[in-house]
Amino acid sequence: MICYPGADLFVLVDHLPDADRGFLSGVKITTSRLQKAPFSRSGFRNYIGSMPFLIEQFDLKAYDLVLSSSWAFAKGVLVNADQPHVSYMHTPIRYASALKHQYLEQSGLTRGPKGWLVRKVLHSIRQWDVTSTHGVDTLIANSHYIGQRIRKTYRREAEVIYPPVDIDAFSLGERKDDFYLMASRLVPYKRFDLVVEAFGQMPDKTLVVIGAGSEYDKLRALAGDNVHMLGFTAHDVLVDHMRRAQAFIMPAEEDFGIVVAEAQACGTPVISYARGGAPEILKLDEQSGPTGLVFQEQTTASIIDAVERFEAAKAHFRPSDCWENAQFFRPERFRDQFKASVGETVASYDTMLDAPRPMLRLQSAE
C-alpha cells in the first residue's frame, strides 16, 4: 500500500496478526473462500492446487486499474479489455518450474503415489502460470535475476524496480564484534546447513543464527559450540546483532534478498552466494569501497574460502560505505519508479471510462 494507500486489497487468505496490521488501517480487504477452509492458517500451501481457480473468482470489473503483487498466483486475476494490469513479480512460481526438482527432493516427494500426484498438480500449475501472464500489460521484476527468469519462463521482458526497504528501521553500527551473522526463516532452500557445517570446520570463529522454521532442529543438531542458535527474536535484538556483526552471510539463492539491504543499512558487509538477486544489492569492486563479496558454489568449502577472503580483506570494508549503499533502496525511490511505470501503462490505453472508479491492489498469500 506504499504507493496507493486508498486501494482495495484482495488476497487469498488473511491471517496477519493484529500487531502487524498498522499499515492496513482503513483498507478494504476481500479474501477468497480459502480463508474459511480447514487449516487455512497453518497449512494453506496444501491448497496450492486450487489457488489458480480461487484467484480467478475475484470480480474486479468495478476497477480502473489492477495492481498485483505476485509470487505465484495474484497475476492470474481476470481483467477486462479496458482494465490496465501491472504485476510486480517477486518470482515466477519457483516450485512449479526451475526449482521443481529441488522442491520435490527436499519435501521427500521424488517417488511414490503422493509424489506422482504432486508432480501432476505442479504440471497443471506450470501451464496455468504461463497462460495467466496474457492478462498482464506490464511485468515488473524485483531484480535483474528475476527479470531473467521471467524472460525464460514467459518469453516476455520485464522492467526492473528493486523493492522498498525500510532503511530507517535500522541504524549504522561502527563497532564490530567478533562474530558472523545469519538471519532469516529457517527453511531448506536457504541452505543455512552449509554455513553451520562450514563454521564447524572453523572452531576459532563464531556464528550467530537468528530465525525460526522447519530447519531449526536440524541446524541445532549440526551446531558446534561456536554456533549460537537464538531462534526467533524481537526486531531490536536482530538490529543489535546486525550492527555488531563482522559480516552477514547469505547462502541462499534469493529472488532479491531484502535482509541483505537491511544488513547494509546497519553498516555490515555481506558474504553472499553469487546467484540470485542478493549480489545486485552489493558493491563488489574491491578498489571502490566494496560492501560485500560473493562465493560461487553452495558448498562448505566455498563458504570457508569466502570467510577467509573476507578476513584477509577486512580493512577494505567500511561500515559507512555499506550504510551509504543501502540508501539506494529507500521506499521513496521505489514509490517514484513504480508510480511512473504504472502511469506509462495507463497512458498507453487509448480510451478510459469517463466515470472514475476505485483502484485495486491485489496480493496473493505468502
Side-chain angles (χ1 to χ4, degrees), residues 196 198-208 223-228:
V196 172
F199 274 78
Q201 299 179 40
M202 298 184 289
D204 58 321
K205 298 175 177 58
T206 300
L207 174 69
V208 174
D225 293 338
N226 63 328
V227 176
H228 304 288

Side-chain angles (χ1 to χ4, degrees), residues 151-210:
R151 187 179 307 112
K152 183 71 172 179
T153 305
Y154 308 126
R155 301 301 181 187
R156 291 183 58 177
E157 295 298 319
E159 181 181 358
V160 175
I161 301 177
Y162 291 123
V165 181
D166 188 7
I167 298 299
D168 292 335
F170 301 84
S171 58
L172 175 62
E174 296 277 3
R175 181 180 64 85
K176 301 300 181 182
D177 292 341
D178 191 20
F179 69 89
Y180 292 81
L181 176 67
M182 289 196 304
S184 186
R185 291 182 300 115
L186 306 184
V187 292
Y189 89 90
K190 299 279 188 179
R191 298 317 311 265
F192 277 22
D193 57 320
L194 296 176
V195 182
V196 172
E197 290 173 354
F199 274 78
Q201 299 179 40
M202 298 184 289
D204 58 321
K205 298 175 177 58
T206 300
L207 174 69
V208 174
V209 180
I210 292 178

Side-chain angles (χ1 to χ4, degrees), residues 34 36 48 50 53 55 77 79 82 89 132 157 199 202 204 207 248 288 301 312 342 364:
L34 182 55
K36 296 182 179 180
I48 184 175
S50 65
F53 171 80
I55 206 72
V77 67
V79 296
D82 62 345
M89 290 200 64
S132 66
E157 295 298 319
F199 274 78
M202 298 184 289
D204 58 321
L207 174 69
F248 186 92
S288 58
V342 171
S364 60

Side-chain angles (χ1 to χ4, degrees), residues 47-122:
Y47 293 94
I48 184 175
S50 65
M51 289 181 183
F53 171 80
L54 291 170
I55 206 72
E56 292 179 354
Q57 303 315 302
F58 289 129
D59 182 359
L60 309 180
K61 64 179 179 291
Y63 297 91
D64 281 335
L65 171 65
V66 174
L67 309 175
S68 61
S69 175
S70 184
W71 68 272
F73 303 105
K75 65 175 174 51
V77 67
L78 301 181
V79 296
N80 293 326
D82 62 345
Q83 289 177 297
H85 179 187
V86 178
S87 184
Y88 189 65
M89 290 200 64
H90 307 286
T91 179
I93 304 179
R94 66 175 73 184
Y95 43 80
S97 54
L99 299 183
K100 184 191 78 170
H101 297 292
Q102 178 180 333
Y103 166 76
L104 291 170
E105 182 177 349
Q106 292 175 343
S107 303
L109 295 170
T110 56
R111 55 176 59 86
K114 186 175 181 180
W116 280 107
L117 176 61
V118 171
R119 286 172 186 270
K120 182 174 177 59
V121 170
L122 295 181

Side-chain angles (χ1 to χ4, degrees), residues 11 49 65 87 139 145 162 275 316:
V11 296
L65 171 65
S87 184
L139 289 171
Y145 167 69
Y162 291 123
R275 294 190 61 184
H316 296 289

